[in-house]
């Protein structure tokens, strides 16, 4: 990518913004060196790193990037075994700690979110905890080698402190002595050249002997090392030299340890630089409220609400643009100072940013193309004075572009053909545009030549565009209108400024009728474009509202399905429990019957086995309830009729309607059983072709028809016994000798009460529980006298 093009489109200013977001010198250098990539694979990798870093910032808010130092020079010296300073070692320890902390942070987050690129870099960072701890053991935060760095250093420094103490004590005795005080300029002890001295008046220099190390500006004061402490100062100097040699030995030893892991440290700082750079891109995107666009290498640009990143959010006007799918070129026409240049710069700059792996200030679902090259010829030509040299300069650049471009290039021309005769300039501009389009490149061009307004209408791959102008405020709105060519608005502006209507009409008559019609057509197109944009925004709002309603309905549907499943599971569990209780009850009954038989009652073993088998079959039927509930249910009839075949949902069995018992109940026969069922529990499966006179077995007597069985299910004990008493009277009158009383399984309370009643009834000869095909233990067969 040519540097001149990057500067023309102000890419360098964007990079300066990015550099400010980096935390370390390493990240800042990576940002400073960033140039757009030209293959989609490279751009996708760069965008993925940015997207992962943006995800981390959204989840955590911040990233621990502090403490990263540029230690490359220190590593280079360590390779050469050159002694590192304490400050160099502290920077190395700080970088090791920062790398280990960032690595832990990212790997822990990667357990919750997929961050393949960031974690790939983080995993290459080595902890090197031993080296870090050794450096911190020997060097404090101020860059001083501490006493504990070695046993010898501790001993030497203790000796130094002892010597210093003795020297001070001896000099303080002299400064406190009354015989010496008059000879001293001040009663203080100071240091000159690392040796302890006292300030002595000039005339008393010979009293103290020793060495003169300094004097005041006036010469009245001499700084003398008295003879009594010269030997001790010499000893102190020797000891300090030992200290320096020991400190140097410790630093060389630490340097050796660094040199052993210098390659690992080199990898660490490379990975830290990549990570810092990735998070700088993410923070850059956050500051611009930017997004990661979709990418393609087909030359398709589709920016929604694109904003120039260097214009403040309060002033920038977003534009919508699409290029490369239906149209290869966009020609923006209209007067100067209307915002044409800003529009093409925005498109070009955002394309470069996307190719560099940066977020761009557009709305979601925008799309950017990866071009092999981007060319631009843009000049600030707002003056009517154009010189030959300016035109020659632009033409030289344009010729270079035409020679260098290919079908994967993006070409940007600003004020194409300007600077020469309008007729020749317009003709030259159209020829250049034709050449670029024929080569297959994508093209953005601006011009104020009216001849190019008709250019796009004659070519399928080119479309006109303009920047909207508000004649009321006499200012451009900077909104890009694709599909609408620009117009001069000269008459409207002149009228707004107060020019005589007569003069305006005179001027209007001088332009050709064709040009006038074109201006009228453009004005109509502008109005239609504004209307279409308003309707699009309304449709977008309605679409968003409909989408929200759809999501709400989907959520409601999911909640309903979950509740339905919960209720079904609850019903299944209740049915299972009921079956289990019934089975336990039946087992109890059978056990009681066997006990009765053992006591002498005449109950056959095969009847017990048959009862057990029927109970097992009932359990299997109830276990199939879940499958039955999932099948489509029949449409429930409002009014079942006598003879209809119906499904009794609470039992999962089919039966036949015998009669209507009440307003909302029907008498239904299921097998040999008859029961009253609520209408809401029934659905018709097959209507009867002809209703029979009766659907149950009965006998005739002079008193009328009496049923062969009495169904007590659902009755309380008191009600059941009343029904049994009434029923037996009717049976006796009818002359029947054997009838069935259905009391069901239940808890057994109703069955026991019925049996107690029958034992005491004078007309009952005997009674027994029903056998196979007679209702089993849920029915009692009564023999009458």
């Amino acid at each position: 990518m040519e540097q001149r093009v990057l500067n023309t489109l102000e890419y360098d200013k964007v990079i300066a913004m990015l550099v400010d977001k980096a935390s370390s010198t390493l990240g800042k250098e990576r940002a400073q060196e960033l140039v757009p990539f030209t293959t989609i694979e490279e751009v996708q990798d760069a965008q993925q790193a940015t997207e992962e870093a943006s995800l981390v910032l959204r989840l955590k808010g911040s990233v621990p990037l502090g403490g990263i130092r540029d230690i490359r020079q220190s590593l280079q010296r360590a390779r050469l075994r050159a002694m590192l300073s304490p400050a160099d070692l502290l920077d190395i320890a700080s970088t090791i700690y920062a790398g280990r902390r960032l690595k832990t942070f990212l790997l822990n987050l990667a357990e919750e979110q997929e961050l393949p690129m960031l974690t790939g870099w983080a995993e290459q960072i080595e902890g090197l905890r031993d080296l870090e701890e050794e450096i911190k053991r020997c060097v404090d935060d101020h860059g001083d080698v501490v006493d504990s760095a070695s046993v010898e250093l501790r001993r030497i420094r203790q000796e130094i402190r002892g010597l210093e103490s003795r020297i001070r004590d001896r000099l303080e005795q002299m400064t406190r002595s009354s015989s010496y005080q008059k000879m001293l300029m001040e009663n203080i002890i100071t240091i000159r050249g690392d040796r302890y001295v006292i300030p002595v008046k000039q005339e008393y220099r010979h009293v103290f002997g020793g060495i003169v190390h300094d004097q005041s500006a006036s010469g009245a004061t001499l700084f003398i090392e008295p003879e009594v402490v010269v030997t001790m100062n010499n000893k102190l100097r020797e000891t300090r030299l030992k200290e320096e040699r020991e400190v140097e030995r410790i630093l060389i030893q630490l340097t050796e340890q660094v040199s052993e892991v210098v390659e690992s440290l080199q990898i660490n700082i490379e990975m830290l630089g990549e990570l810092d750079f990735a998070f700088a891109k993410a923070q850059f995107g956050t500051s611009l409220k930017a997004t990661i666009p979709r990418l393609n290498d087909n030359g398709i640009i589709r920016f929604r609400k694109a904003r120039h990143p260097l214009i403040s959010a309060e002033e920038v006007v977003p534009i919508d643009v699409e290029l490369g799918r239906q149209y290869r070129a966009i020609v923006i026409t209209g007067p100067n100072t209307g915002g044409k240049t800003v529009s093409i710069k925005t498109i070009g700059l955002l394309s470069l940013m996307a190719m560099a792996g940066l977020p761009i200030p557009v709305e979601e679902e925008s799309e950017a193309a990866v071009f092999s090259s981007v060319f631009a010829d843009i000049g600030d030509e707002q003056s009517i004075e154009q010189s030959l040299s300016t035109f020659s300069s632009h033409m030289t650049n344009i010729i270079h572009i035409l020679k260098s471009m290919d079908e994967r290039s993006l070409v940007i021309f600003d004020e194409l053909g300007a600077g020469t005769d309008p007729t020749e300039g317009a003709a030259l501009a159209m020829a250049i545009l034709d050449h670029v389009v024929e080569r297959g490149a994508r093209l953005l061009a601006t011009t104020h030549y009216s001849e190019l307004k008709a250019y796009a209408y004659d070519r399928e791959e080119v479309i006109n565009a303009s920047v909207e102008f508000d004649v009321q405020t006499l200012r451009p709105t900077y909104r890009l209108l694709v599909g609408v060519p620009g117009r001069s608005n000269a008459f409207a502006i002149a009228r707004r400024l107060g020019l005589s209507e007569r003069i305006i009409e005179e001027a209007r008559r001088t332009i050709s009728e064709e040009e006038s019609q074109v201006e009228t057509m453009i004005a109509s197109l502008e109005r239609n474009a504004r209307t279409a944009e308003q309707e699009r925004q309304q449709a977008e709002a309605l679409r968003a509202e409909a989408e929200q309603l759809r999501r709400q309905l989907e959520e409601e549907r999911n909640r309903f399905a979950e509740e339905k499943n919960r209720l079904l599971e609850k019903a299944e569990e209740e049915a299972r429990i009921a079956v289990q209780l019934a089975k336990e009850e039946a087992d109890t009954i059978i056990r009681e019957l066997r006990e009765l038989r053992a006591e002498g009652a005449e109950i056959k073993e095969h009847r017990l086995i048959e009862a057990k088998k029927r109970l097992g079959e009932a359990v299997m039927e109830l276990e199939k309830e879940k499958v039955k509930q999932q099948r489509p249910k029949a449409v429930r009839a409002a009014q079942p009729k006598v003879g209809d075949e119906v499904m009794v949902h609470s039992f999962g069995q089919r039966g036949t309607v015998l009669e209507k018992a009440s307003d909302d109940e029907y008498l239904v026969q299921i097998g040999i059983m008859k029961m009253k069922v609520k209408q809401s529990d029934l659905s018709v499966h097959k209507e009867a072709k002809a209703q029979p006179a009766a659907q149950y077995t009965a006998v005739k007597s002079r008193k009328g028809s009496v049923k062969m069985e009495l169904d007590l299910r659902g009755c309380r004990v008191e009600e059941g016994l009343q029904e049994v008493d009434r029923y037996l009277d009717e049976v006796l009158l009818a002359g029947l000798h054997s009838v069935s009383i259905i009391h069901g399984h239940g808890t057994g309370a109703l069955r026991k009460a019925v049996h107690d009643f029958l034992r005491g009834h004078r007309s009952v000869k005997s009674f027994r529980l029903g056998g196979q095909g007679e209702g089993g233990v849920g029915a009692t067969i009564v023999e009458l006298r």
Side-chain angles (χ1 to χ4, degrees):
M1 204 68 63
E2 297 179 0
Q3 187 62 43
R4 188 190 62 80
V5 174
L6 299 180
N7 294 339
T8 298
L9 293 175
E10 301 178 290
Y11 177 82
D12 55 327
K13 296 180 181 178
V14 171
I15 291 301
M17 296 170 60
L18 175 63
V19 169
D20 289 341
K21 301 298 180 184
S23 299
S24 67
T25 304
L26 303 171
K28 292 181 185 296
E29 285 187 6
R30 289 284 291 109
Q32 191 68 52
E33 297 167 356
L34 179 64
V35 294
F37 303 101
T38 56
T39 66
I40 192 167
E41 292 78 15
E42 292 175 310
V43 179
Q44 286 173 338
D45 287 343
Q47 291 283 25
Q48 181 181 347
T50 307
E51 190 168 10
E52 290 181 14
S54 299
L55 176 60
V56 173
L57 288 180
R58 286 198 300 272
L59 293 175
K60 297 298 183 180
S62 62
V63 180
L65 290 168
I68 301 174
R69 304 285 186 264
D70 185 2
I71 58 174
R72 288 173 293 184
Q73 293 296 329
S74 300
L75 296 183
Q76 186 64 26
R77 290 199 301 276
R79 282 193 180 94
L80 301 174
R81 298 296 196 276
M83 186 183 73
L84 299 177
S85 69
D88 294 335
L89 293 167
L90 278 182
D91 285 346
I92 291 173
S94 175
T95 303
I96 292 173
Y97 173 73
R100 191 170 63 251
R101 180 178 59 179
L102 182 57
K103 176 180 181 178
T104 302
F105 172 82
L106 290 174
L107 295 185
N108 288 340
L109 184 58
E111 296 177 0
E112 306 170 8
Q113 294 288 336
E114 291 188 7
L115 304 168
M117 187 160 287
L118 297 186
T119 53
W121 290 333
E123 287 171 349
Q124 297 183 56
I125 298 174
E126 292 195 31
L128 303 176
R129 185 186 294 272
D130 292 342
L131 176 58
E132 176 203 347
E133 292 178 349
E134 182 64 15
I135 292 173
K136 290 184 175 180
R137 186 186 69 81
C138 297
V139 183
D140 64 17
D141 293 339
H142 302 291
D144 298 322
V145 178
V146 297
D147 296 357
S148 58
S150 72
V151 175
E152 180 64 14
L153 182 62
R154 184 189 299 276
R155 186 194 65 77
I156 291 172
R157 286 183 173 172
Q158 286 176 348
E159 184 178 352
I160 288 173
R161 287 189 287 270
L163 287 170
E164 288 176 339
S165 177
R166 289 198 297 274
I167 292 171
R168 281 185 167 277
D169 288 344
R170 188 70 184 89
L171 291 177
E172 284 176 357
Q173 289 175 6
M174 298 178 70
T175 58
R176 289 197 297 266
S177 173
S178 58
S179 58
Y180 285 117
Q181 286 182 356
K182 64 179 180 178
M183 302 178 187
L184 300 176
M185 189 64 68
E186 291 183 85
N187 295 331
I188 62 171
I189 301 172
T190 185
I191 296 176
R192 289 293 186 274
D194 291 335
R195 300 179 78 89
Y196 287 93
V197 297
I198 56 177
V200 179
K201 295 177 181 179
Q202 170 70 26
E203 58 270 24
Y204 297 111
R205 59 176 299 180
H206 299 293
V207 175
F208 293 91
I211 304 170
V212 177
H213 288 278
D214 198 4
Q215 66 179 5
S216 65
S218 64
T221 303
L222 299 178
F223 293 93
I224 298 176
E225 177 186 0
E227 187 176 359
V228 295
V229 297
V230 169
T231 303
M232 288 188 289
N233 266 332
N234 289 340
K235 179 65 173 175
L236 178 61
R237 177 62 181 162
E238 291 174 4
T239 309
R240 282 178 173 164
L241 289 174
K242 290 181 182 179
E243 177 193 22
E244 291 176 5
R245 288 194 294 272
E246 179 62 16
V247 167
E248 183 176 326
R249 186 193 68 78
I250 293 169
L251 294 178
I252 290 174
Q253 182 179 347
L254 291 174
T255 302
E256 289 290 335
Q257 294 182 31
V258 172
S259 66
E260 293 173 1
V261 294
V262 68
E263 298 302 329
S264 297
L265 286 170
Q266 188 66 43
I267 294 174
N268 281 13
I269 61 174
E270 289 176 4
M271 296 304 101
L272 288 172
E274 292 290 349
L275 289 167
D276 185 21
F277 174 55
F279 286 111
K281 292 191 292 182
Q283 290 177 345
F284 169 80
T286 301
S287 66
L288 290 178
K289 297 181 180 178
T291 62
I292 303 294
R294 293 201 300 263
L295 299 171
N296 70 82
D297 56 357
N298 301 321
I300 298 174
I301 296 174
R302 189 169 69 91
F303 293 154
R304 298 179 57 195
K305 304 298 181 187
R307 294 164 283 132
H308 198 290
L310 302 179
I311 302 176
S312 66
E314 294 76 17
E315 298 179 3
V316 68
V317 178
I319 62 173
D320 293 331
V321 64
E322 184 169 345
L323 175 67
R325 181 173 281 110
Q326 187 175 358
Y327 306 104
R328 290 183 178 271
I330 297 178
V331 178
I332 307 176
T333 55
N336 290 333
T337 70
K340 302 190 303 296
T341 301
V342 173
S343 296
I344 60 174
K345 276 190 171 183
T346 299
I347 299 168
L349 179 57
L350 296 192
S351 295
L352 291 175
M353 290 170 59
M355 291 166 60
L358 295 175
I360 59 177
V362 294
E363 284 192 351
E364 297 286 350
E365 305 302 322
S366 292
E367 191 169 2
V370 179
F371 295 103
S372 62
S373 54
V374 176
F375 299 101
D377 180 67
I378 298 176
D380 297 328
E381 299 175 4
Q382 305 298 332
S383 172
I384 62 173
E385 297 179 358
Q386 299 289 340
S387 65
L388 178 61
S389 61
T390 301
F391 176 75
S392 299
S393 175
H394 283 296
M395 284 310 303
T396 301
N397 190 28
I398 290 171
I399 292 169
H400 167 71
I401 292 173
L402 296 180
K403 289 181 179 179
S404 305
M405 71 178 188
D406 58 25
E407 67 278 0
R408 292 187 59 239
S409 298
L410 173 63
V411 179
I412 301 174
F413 292 134
D414 185 34
E415 297 296 350
L416 183 61
T420 186
D421 178 77
T423 303
E424 293 181 354
L428 189 59
M430 286 187 283
I432 292 172
L433 294 178
D434 280 339
H435 179 75
V436 174
V437 173
E438 288 173 2
R439 290 282 300 274
R442 302 300 185 265
L443 173 66
L444 295 167
T446 70
T447 180
H448 58 266
Y449 289 141
S450 59
E451 289 84 353
L452 268 69
K453 296 176 183 177
Y455 172 81
Y457 289 105
D458 297 332
R459 291 160 177 80
E460 292 183 355
E461 295 183 324
V462 184
I463 189 171
N464 271 318
S466 62
V467 180
E468 187 179 55
F469 190 88
D470 190 344
V471 296
Q472 300 298 322
T473 61
L474 303 183
R475 294 174 61 87
T477 66
Y478 300 104
R479 290 181 60 249
L480 185 65
L481 303 177
V482 178
V484 180
R487 57 194 181 110
S488 66
N489 297 299
F491 294 151
I493 295 173
R495 180 180 293 107
R496 181 70 177 169
L497 293 175
L499 186 64
S500 170
E501 190 67 31
R502 182 181 63 79
I503 297 175
I504 293 174
E505 288 301 321
E506 184 67 24
R508 194 184 298 279
R509 283 194 295 271
T510 61
I511 65 174
S512 65
E513 181 179 351
E514 182 178 348
E515 290 178 345
S516 179
Q517 290 176 348
V518 169
E519 288 295 320
T520 302
M521 177 195 69
I522 293 174
S524 176
L525 286 172
E526 287 183 352
R527 288 193 300 271
N528 292 340
R530 284 193 294 269
T531 301
E533 177 63 17
Q534 292 173 356
E535 292 178 351
R536 187 196 67 79
Q537 292 177 356
Q538 293 174 356
E540 184 70 18
L542 290 174
R543 187 199 65 77
E545 183 179 354
E547 180 66 20
Q548 182 179 2
L549 289 174
R550 186 195 67 77
R551 287 195 298 268
Q552 291 176 351
L553 289 174
E554 183 69 17
E555 292 172 359
E556 289 291 335
R557 188 185 70 80
N558 292 337
R559 283 198 294 270
F560 175 78
E562 291 174 0
E563 181 66 15
K564 176 184 175 183
N565 291 335
R566 187 186 66 79
L567 292 175
L568 285 174
E569 291 173 359
K570 181 180 178 182
E572 291 167 4
E573 180 65 17
E574 291 176 349
R576 187 191 64 77
I577 293 172
V579 169
Q580 183 64 28
L581 293 175
K583 185 176 180 182
E584 292 173 358
E585 176 67 16
D587 289 340
T588 301
I589 293 171
I590 292 172
R591 185 172 59 256
E592 291 175 354
L593 292 174
R594 282 177 174 165
E595 291 174 355
L596 291 172
R597 187 189 65 177
E599 293 174 0
E602 295 183 1
I603 301 176
K604 297 183 181 298
E605 179 69 22
H606 73 276
R607 294 178 63 185
L608 297 175
I609 295 174
E610 289 174 357
K612 185 78 171 181
K613 180 180 179 181
R614 288 198 304 276
L615 287 170
E617 290 173 349
V619 170
M620 291 177 64
E621 287 297 324
L622 287 171
E623 287 295 335
K624 296 177 182 177
E625 184 66 20
K626 179 178 180 180
V627 178
K628 293 179 181 179
Q629 289 173 345
Q630 293 175 346
R631 295 174 183 167
K633 290 183 170 61
V635 178
R636 298 192 179 187
Q639 294 290 336
K641 300 182 293 295
V642 175
D644 286 349
E645 183 179 340
V646 294
M647 170 62 77
V648 182
H649 297 286
S650 58
F651 287 90
Q653 299 288 332
R654 294 185 185 182
T656 303
V657 176
L658 299 180
E659 65 181 31
K660 186 172 184 180
S662 63
D663 291 340
D664 62 343
E665 284 187 332
Y666 288 83
L667 183 64
V668 179
Q669 180 168 350
I670 302 175
I672 65 169
M673 297 185 297
K674 301 181 182 67
M675 63 187 69
K676 291 180 181 180
V677 183
K678 296 284 187 182
Q679 180 180 333
S680 59
D681 196 25
L682 298 175
S683 62
V684 176
H685 271 261
K686 187 186 298 182
E687 293 186 359
K689 295 182 179 180
Q691 294 186 11
Q695 295 294 330
Y696 54 90
T697 304
V699 297
K700 290 286 183 178
S701 72
R702 64 181 181 276
K703 298 296 183 181
S705 180
V706 178
K707 299 176 183 178
M708 297 290 294
E709 60 188 30
L710 173 64
D711 191 348
L712 299 179
R713 286 175 297 181
C715 295
R716 295 192 299 271
V717 172
E718 295 79 4
E719 294 175 349
L721 295 179
Q722 291 177 3
E723 288 295 321
V724 171
D725 190 26
R726 179 189 58 77
Y727 177 66
L728 291 179
D729 290 342
E730 292 180 358
V731 167
L732 289 171
L733 291 173
L736 299 178
H737 299 287
S738 178
V739 293
S740 176
I741 298 176
I742 302 172
H743 41 66
H745 300 141
T747 61
L750 182 57
R751 180 185 68 244
K752 184 175 182 302
V754 170
H755 286 186
D756 291 342
F757 179 81
L758 294 176
R759 286 191 187 94
H761 198 284
R762 62 183 182 278
S763 300
V764 176
K765 181 179 179 182
S766 65
F767 62 89
R768 61 179 173 80
L769 292 173
Q772 184 175 7
E774 296 177 327
V777 295
T780 297
I781 309 303
V782 182
E783 297 291 337
L784 301 174
R785 298 182 189 277

